[in-house]
Amino acid sequence: MLGAIRARPNFVKPVLVRLYHKPARNTEFKKLTASDIDFFKRVLPAETILATPAVGGTSDPVELEGFNADWLNKYRGDSQLVLRPKTTTEVSQILKYCNEQKIAVVPQGGNTGLVGGSVPVHDEVVLSLRNMNKVRGFDDISGIVTCDAGCVLEELDNYVADKGYTMPLDLGAKGSCQIGGNVATNAGGIRFLRYGTLHGSVLGLEVVLPDGTVLDNLNTLRKDNTGYDLKQLFIGSEGSLGVITGVSITTPQRPSAVNVAVLGVPSYKAVQDAFRLARRRCGEVLSAFEFWDSSCMGAVLHHQQLKSPLSAEFPFYVLVETSGSNKDHDDEKLGALLEELMENGTVEDGALAQDEQQIRRMWMMREGIPESLGKTGATYKYDISIPIPVLYDIVGDIANKLETASLFKSAGASDPVKIVCGYGHIGDGNLHLNVVADKFQDRVTEVFEPYVYEWVSSHRGSISAEHGVGLMKRDYLGYSKPKEMIDYMRRIKSMFDPNGILNPYKVL
Amino acid sequence: MLGAIRARPNFVKPVLVRLYHKPARNTEFKKLTASDIDFFKRVLPAETILATPAVGGTSDPVELEGFNADWLNKYRGDSQLVLRPKTTTEVSQILKYCNEQKIAVVPQGGNTGLVGGSVPVHDEVVLSLRNMNKVRGFDDISGIVTCDAGCVLEELDNYVADKGYTMPLDLGAKGSCQIGGNVATNAGGIRFLRYGTLHGSVLGLEVVLPDGTVLDNLNTLRKDNTGYDLKQLFIGSEGSLGVITGVSITTPQRPSAVNVAVLGVPSYKAVQDAFRLARRRCGEVLSAFEFWDSSCMGAVLHHQQLKSPLSAEFPFYVLVETSGSNKDHDDEKLGALLEELMENGTVEDGALAQDEQQIRRMWMMREGIPESLGKTGATYKYDISIPIPVLYDIVGDIANKLETASLFKSAGASDPVKIVCGYGHIGDGNLHLNVVADKFQDRVTEVFEPYVYEWVSSHRGSISAEHGVGLMKRDYLGYSKPKEMIDYMRRIKSMFDPNGILNPYKVL
């Protein structure tokens, strides 16, 4: 659990946290009593229960702190009971009881989510999967791993690395996040361009439904066309339909060669041209194509003690990565791409990492952006998908609106808004739009919210590309989904969870 | 529609067709009357309706023949009405009316399925998508195509090929099958190893529900985490939940170099070893790894006028294909793999195709197997998924059982069973198990059915890897899915199609 501690640098002293609307407690949910705690003591080992004196237990409320607050310390609940079962049977017993008693439950993995989906809103019981952390099996020929939902992503990646494979997803929180949580939130991350969505790589799930039913769909088959693929419903359901207890997932061959280059690019049009050529020239070895603008670069160079590897400043920067099975071949492919991009003027400068350390520094330039913006001021963050051709237009539009309202670039240093910028995974059409202000305030927010969501909606984009809905975006779902689809989502929720005990107040 | 004709060589004179159990007509479905035909005439152009005199129309029943029978002419219905709408609105009007009137409907794409899913069982209305065949849009930067469901796969592949992309699936029926049918049946095929499942590559769907509701989820985003991914339910639902009218799908870069080799392999263990090494050495360019046994090879050489490219006979054969963006690199990777496999004795002989014609011949060797077995006798076919390590064991088991029953290899030429063999997509764990007899007869069937399904079930395999359930495997679903999952499948069916009008008698 060291990873979990490392991943929460701001845990003790949160800064500049934006307030969120907390829905009222649903009074139909039962409040815990000592007799409930007695039940859990009968079905679970004592060391897996954390109950405060408020519900008849003996745990210090401080022990529950890390389960009640998310890692940015933005969302915070008031749970008095944390259960950490070790087996699927225990999970089934817990849910069956809670369903009968109408006790609300929030399933929790590594608690690294960004939309308030993994912490209680009020007094929900926290059902932590962290004690279910065993690999159940590995097929060395096909590269399929089957494991408990509470396995930490990085530990799984190390496990399969020993056998020559790699997990098909990777993200900043890998040291803490759990595979069950990754699946429940349909996590994206930086390997998405290469290995695609979890809807493709997850082969089987074991899921416990609110009534205690164990849906055993934990198969390890790449192909299975025997009716509706129910497991897909749980991928991205954010724990609101059932609790994932087991996962089987296909893992690709681990690449033996990795190359990284950073490019200086004169326009967003050129970023797109570079991406198209990179797909053509590097095709099967292209593993990342990330971009950021000059405002992001300014912040990251200022705050991360990094030096740009390029000779000058550019409107846009691109990080291109190849991963393959033959270093010489990949060098040649990437070298030819860079030469062509420079020759035809798509790219104005480029630097190729010469060793592991340079690779790490180049990635830090991209991955250090969120933290650097956070150090600059109060950051409004939007994780959106938009068709690539118009992806960056929204950044200019928002900047213009703020300028027109005299909040940005008008009177210089006294403007409340400091930076309007964008970065993201261009290959996936995923933009992280950020507005940095001196503090969170209504007159700034009103200029671009709900305008951002309207803009995304009018381009048939998604208001949540990879972070999910959680509590944060529940009220905005209509911008991404037509009414008919939301209606069917509700019907599916009622079908699996008629009492609504699972992760209430979230998603829908 | 030339493709459709080409793909039905046996249409007129079917041979050796195995009988199937036809469920009784559900009397709750309304029988068509002239007033129903009048309604359809009001909402559809005249040329899109085929109605026989039996229901008050004027079409010759012969014109409906191709819609009533599947392409193997094994499954056959008795529909008197075929509707070929041109727009989503027309599909919606048809379904709304049929739902209100309780008229059963079978949606039909290219009608190339193998499990009786795409033809009526009794007098269901055939809703053919063939008039909805336009590409709606193509994003040249991301390679995402959006199109009507009735687009023929090969035509789509040609369309995206012009732009440097390739469809992520390919199968024998590509000249006739339609993308909507591919999605509805979750088609697999020979590019599956490289580009994965349609659950990963389909980005959006437009679906008309039985009550006429149009679920517009036709987005073109690689990432969208805004709640339950409803479209996944329709992928592989075989037209039993809704009618797919539009599809958006991501297309990979078209490979510019293709290499193919055929290998002679001494054992199934060695086939697995070769596969493992191929993944390691060719990693990102490996695009197919198919295998077949000596019995398959015997049949194909006998019936296809092909000569083995190898020097001798072997227990197993492998076809390995690479597809990449650089011919020299791929040659080097595949060359090194073959050398290593020969040197360490995993492979005893190998031949590398030197030109396009040799590539085609090698593929014919693999793809000619089903036809060659069909020419040998009455073929019992099973399309199953089994974990790779035990994949081929079932072939030996079935052969032993038949031998013990004195039906195979006992009295020589007078044995009813001629061949027990296996071939398939090893990379996907997908075996095509075939038993060839002089004719279909109960004393043969009884030996291995339901034994085959029990065997698959005991190894947590799938009784349908890529062909689907349809009418053929409906009664065997319990061998692949636990009762709880089938129950939830039924509930989902009732939710979307409460009157059960869509593709009745199939899947569930």
Side-chain angles (χ1 to χ4, degrees), chain B residues 258-263 292 297 300-301 303-310 317-321 351-369 372:
Chain B
V258 175
N259 286 318
V260 172
V262 165
L263 317 174
W292 59 97
M297 190 65 155
V300 87
L301 293 181
H303 288 287
Q304 301 291 328
Q305 300 177 301
L306 287 169
K307 214 177 136 307
S308 170
L310 305 180
Y317 299 85
V318 159
L319 181 150
V320 54
E321 184 192 76
L352 187 62
Q354 299 302 315
D355 54 36
E356 280 280 329
Q357 201 188 13
Q358 288 188 9
I359 286 179
R360 269 200 304 279
R361 281 212 194 117
M362 285 181 178
W363 266 114
M364 270 175 69
M365 218 167 283
R366 161 65 184 83
E367 293 192 312
I369 295 169
S372 305

Side-chain angles (χ1 to χ4, degrees), chain A residues 432-485:
Chain A
H432 297 293
L433 164 70
N434 284 238
V435 175
V436 188
D438 48 8
K439 62 179 183 203
F440 292 111
Q441 50 185 307
D442 289 345
R443 68 182 183 124
V444 170
T445 320
E446 282 160 9
V447 173
F448 55 80
E449 205 170 287
Y451 180 75
V452 169
Y453 295 121
E454 287 162 6
W455 202 102
V456 170
S457 179
S458 70
H459 289 85
R460 296 190 67 110
S462 170
I463 61 157
S464 182
E466 58 180 10
H467 295 171
V469 179
L471 183 57
M472 180 182 175
K473 296 183 182 176
R474 187 175 73 138
D475 296 336
Y476 303 109
L477 209 53
Y479 287 104
S480 266
K481 287 263 200 290
K483 184 186 161 298
E484 297 78 22
M485 295 199 60

Side-chain angles (χ1 to χ4, degrees), chain B residues 253-457:
Chain B
Q253 204 64 33
R254 198 167 194 89
S256 55
V258 175
N259 286 318
V260 172
V262 165
L263 317 174
V265 189
S267 67
Y268 181 67
K269 165 80 172 52
V271 171
Q272 295 176 71
D273 291 343
F275 174 60
R276 195 176 357 205
L277 200 67
R279 278 192 90 188
R280 204 148 289 173
R281 295 289 175 264
C282 298
E284 61 277 2
V285 294
L286 186 67
S287 54
F289 197 98
E290 303 281 310
F291 89 108
W292 59 97
D293 61 20
S294 57
S295 304
C296 294
M297 190 65 155
V300 87
L301 293 181
H302 184 70
H303 288 287
Q304 301 291 328
Q305 300 177 301
L306 287 169
K307 214 177 136 307
S308 170
L310 305 180
S311 58
E313 288 179 19
F314 300 93
F316 292 92
Y317 299 85
V318 159
L319 181 150
V320 54
E321 184 192 76
T322 63
S323 312
S325 60
N326 185 307
K327 173 89 175 130
D328 294 341
H329 293 173
D330 296 0
D331 285 354
E332 203 181 313
K333 286 189 179 91
L334 183 57
L337 169 70
L338 297 186
E339 205 168 303
E340 192 170 345
L341 286 172
M342 297 282 285
E343 262 175 25
N344 70 17
T346 306
V347 159
E348 294 184 343
D349 194 12
L352 187 62
Q354 299 302 315
D355 54 36
E356 280 280 329
Q357 201 188 13
Q358 288 188 9
I359 286 179
R360 269 200 304 279
R361 281 212 194 117
M362 285 181 178
W363 266 114
M364 270 175 69
M365 218 167 283
R366 161 65 184 83
E367 293 192 312
I369 295 169
E371 194 190 335
S372 305
L373 294 174
K375 285 182 178 172
T376 309
T379 309
Y380 297 84
K381 293 168 157 304
Y382 299 92
D383 160 51
I384 50 188
S385 274
I386 309 176
I388 299 175
V390 297
L391 182 79
Y392 193 77
D393 291 356
I394 193 170
V395 179
D397 268 24
I398 297 290
N400 287 342
K401 275 190 92 76
L402 288 163
E403 236 180 299
T404 308
S406 301
L407 297 166
F408 180 49
K409 284 191 181 172
S410 63
S414 70
D415 285 333
V417 175
K418 307 300 172 196
I419 301 175
V420 180
C421 64
Y423 63 96
H425 320 284
I426 187 121
D428 316 329
N430 183 181
L431 179 77
H432 296 293
L433 164 70
N434 283 237
V435 175
V436 187
D438 48 7
K439 62 180 183 201
F440 292 111
Q441 50 185 306
D442 289 347
R443 67 180 183 124
V444 172
T445 320
E446 281 160 10
V447 172
F448 54 80
E449 204 169 289
Y451 180 75
V452 170
Y453 296 121
E454 287 161 6
W455 203 101
V456 170
S457 179

Side-chain angles (χ1 to χ4, degrees), chain A residues 108-181:
Chain A
Q108 189 176 87
N111 194 14
T112 62
L114 292 167
V115 291
S118 56
V119 289
V121 177
H122 297 287
D123 59 345
E124 300 93 289
V125 173
V126 175
L127 176 56
S128 164
L129 277 296
R130 64 164 62 167
N131 279 335
M132 292 187 66
N133 53 12
K134 306 238 176 349
V135 173
R136 299 190 192 176
F138 185 77
D139 175 350
D140 194 27
I141 293 165
S142 55
I144 295 166
V145 65
T146 305
C147 62
D148 287 349
C151 287
V152 170
L153 177 60
E154 190 168 49
E155 289 168 14
L156 275 181
D157 195 50
N158 292 338
Y159 176 88
V160 300
D162 285 345
K163 297 157 197 309
Y165 295 91
T166 185
M167 290 299 287
L169 77 162
D170 186 16
L171 51 156
K174 65 184 163 195
S176 315
C177 66
Q178 297 169 9
I179 189 69

Side-chain angles (χ1 to χ4, degrees), chain A residues 350-404:
Chain A
L352 187 62
Q354 299 302 315
D355 55 36
E356 280 280 329
Q357 201 188 12
Q358 288 188 8
I359 287 179
R360 268 200 305 280
R361 281 210 194 121
M362 285 182 179
W363 266 114
M364 269 175 69
M365 219 167 283
R366 160 67 184 82
E367 294 193 313
I369 295 171
E371 194 190 334
S372 304
L373 295 174
K375 285 181 178 172
T376 308
T379 309
Y380 296 85
K381 293 167 158 302
Y382 298 91
D383 160 51
I384 51 188
S385 274
I386 309 177
I388 298 174
V390 296
L391 181 79
Y392 194 76
D393 291 356
I394 194 170
V395 179
D397 268 24
I398 297 291
N400 287 341
K401 274 190 94 74
L402 287 163
E403 236 179 299
T404 307

Side-chain angles (χ1 to χ4, degrees), chain B residues 66-78:
Chain B
F67 299 91
N68 264 316
D70 74 322
W71 75 279
L72 284 174
N73 210 8
K74 174 177 170 185
Y75 297 95
R76 175 174 285 276
D78 190 31

Side-chain angles (χ1 to χ4, degrees), chain A residues 140-142 185-186 216 223-226 228 240 272 276 279 329 333 385 460 462 464 466 481, chain B residues 140-142 185-186 216 223-226 228 240 272 276 279 329 333 385 460 462 464 466 481:
Chain A
D140 194 27
I141 293 165
S142 55
T185 58
N186 190 27
D216 178 5
K223 287 181 176 174
D224 177 20
N225 271 355
T226 52
Y228 317 147
S240 66
Q272 295 176 70
R276 194 173 1 201
R279 278 192 91 188
H329 292 173
K333 286 190 179 90
S385 274
R460 296 190 67 110
S462 170
S464 182
E466 58 180 10
K481 287 263 200 290
Chain B
D140 194 27
I141 294 165
S142 55
T185 57
N186 191 26
D216 177 6
K223 287 181 175 173
D224 177 21
N225 271 356
T226 51
Y228 316 148
S240 67
Q272 295 176 71
R276 195 176 357 205
R279 278 192 90 188
H329 293 173
K333 286 189 179 91
S385 274
R460 295 191 66 110
S462 170
S464 182
E466 58 181 10
K481 288 264 199 291

